[in-house]
Amino acid sequence: MRIVVCSNQAGQWWWAAVGESGDAAAVSVPYASRTDCLHAIAELKVEGPVAPITFEESYAASPGRWTISSLIPSGS
């Protein structure tokens, strides 16, 4: 698992949790700044996987598929 940070021409930033096969396990909502995105990743890493963070403009995942709260197991 790795966390890929992406951005677009509109200045939006988002992260994607990418598995060994290259498929996105989760993609965040878009954030207005890189700092906001990195804060969300820090929050994710408290509850989520140990994963390296990379910055890849070419990663194709679109923002907004899942939010951090959807990664928290039911009943938490």
Side-chain angles (χ1 to χ4, degrees):
M1 177 77 56
R2 64 191 171 107
I3 306 295
V4 178
V5 177
C6 307
S7 65
N8 63 20
Q9 298 278 340
Q12 295 175 313
W13 292 81
W14 64 95
W15 57 262
V18 180
E20 296 295 322
S21 66
D23 293 331
V27 180
S28 75
V29 298
Y31 296 95
S33 71
R34 180 178 183 263
T35 300
D36 290 344
C37 184
L38 292 176
H39 281 260
I41 292 169
E43 203 175 300
L44 169 70
K45 291 185 93 169
V46 168
E47 298 289 336
V50 174
I53 299 171
T54 62
F55 293 82
E56 298 177 27
E57 291 182 24
S58 63
Y59 190 75
S62 298
R65 285 179 35 197
W66 292 282
T67 62
I68 291 173
S69 61
S70 68
L71 297 177
I72 299 171
S74 298
S76 295

